[in-house]
Every structure is written in C-alpha cells, then in structure tokens.
Amino acid sequence: MATLPDGKMKDLAMWVDPVRSGAVLGGATLSWLVLEKSGYTLLTIASNLLLLLLISLVAWKQAATFFTKMPPPPAQSFELSEATVRKVVDITVSHVNLTLAYCYKLGTGNDLVATAQALLALYVVSKVGAFFHILTLCWLGVVGFFSWPKLYAAKQAEIDKLLGEAKAQLEAAKAVLEKEIRSKISSAAPAKKTE
C-alpha cells in the first residue's frame, strides 16, 4: 500500500500533533455541517462572500474620499504572466490529449475489458452519487484522510493479509468473467465459410 510522503500532510494524517489534526478535522466537519444543514451550496456561499467583499471595498473607497485620514483600500493589479500561462497550458494539453485518447479507445470498444470496467465504474459512481451529496463525499474523503493512514499504520499486517485475499478473489472472479464474456463473444460471432 502506498505511503504518504514526509511533510506536513503526513503529520496531519498520522496525528503527530493531535491538536492541529483535530482542529483541521473539526473545522472540516463544522464546515460540512454548516453547508449541509443550512441549505446553502458552496457556490451560493462563495458568491455571497464575494458580494460582501465587493460592497465593502466600494464603501471603503467612497468613505476614503470623504475622510482624508482614512487611506483607500490597497488594490493591486492582478495579472498572470504569459510564461506561467504557457507552462500550465503545456502541462494541461498533454494530460487532456491522453484523457481524450483513452475516452476514444473506450468509446470505440477496441478494448472490451477496459470499456466494461469503465461502464461498471460509471454505474457504481452513479449509484453512490444517488445516495450522497457531493459535499458529503468530500467530507467522507477528509474523514478517510484522517482515519485510514493511522488505522493502516496500527493494523498493517492484518490489513495487508485481508487485501491480499480480496485481491486474489477479485482476480479469480475477473478471470472467470473474462472467460465467460470471451466465450459468448466467440460463440455469437458468425462462422467463417469455407469453400
């Protein structure tokens, strides 16, 4: 199983500083509760906060013209350098092209096993998505981040054994399923005529 690289994220996930890890997990849980129970969406809250910020800046600027001792808000010009944009685009283009090539491969059905796996994955995601709000899934990811690494470190031998057994069973089931699919495809194919 992959391990977390050394650094602050690993320290958070492994609860090296319980106060800091607890504060981050508690803050994430509180944010989730507020967003989930208030009925607001993340987009609504973000747009309302930006609206409040914009009104405050305009009011501050107007108040600074009336009161000479009050400085205007510090405003900086926000610009992206062309070099930064080109670097991001160069990195992004290769990933987008790889993704599109894989989607084309799935869509044409050239690799039936990969296509079946993608269909199964999309079906599972749609069923899970029907039960959970996207924000709840994000929160479950945060909870998993704070619980799984510590649990794995404490019970590594047992978890590795169980994962090995599960992997062997999945591989066996996959082999049987592939054999069955291939036999049905070959039996459904029209027989070649010999002259």
Side-chain angles (χ1 to χ4, degrees), residues 16-71:
V16 172
D17 182 4
V19 173
R20 174 181 255 170
S21 295
V24 172
L25 181 59
T29 302
L30 183 66
S31 299
W32 173 75
L33 280 171
V34 166
L35 289 172
E36 191 71 21
K37 301 302 178 191
S38 69
Y40 287 112
T41 63
L42 195 57
L43 182 63
T44 305
I45 290 174
S47 63
N48 284 339
L49 287 174
L50 288 173
L51 180 68
L52 183 63
L53 176 68
L54 186 60
I55 289 171
S56 300
L57 286 174
V58 169
W60 186 359
K61 173 76 170 141
Q62 294 303 318
T65 58
F66 293 117
F67 305 108
T68 56
K69 292 183 180 180
M70 183 180 195

Side-chain angles (χ1 to χ4, degrees), residues 137-157:
L137 288 175
C138 291
W139 179 74
L140 288 173
V142 169
V143 170
F145 173 79
F146 280 101
S147 59
W148 284 111
K150 187 71 171 177
L151 178 67
Y152 181 73
K155 306 275 186 184
Q156 184 173 1

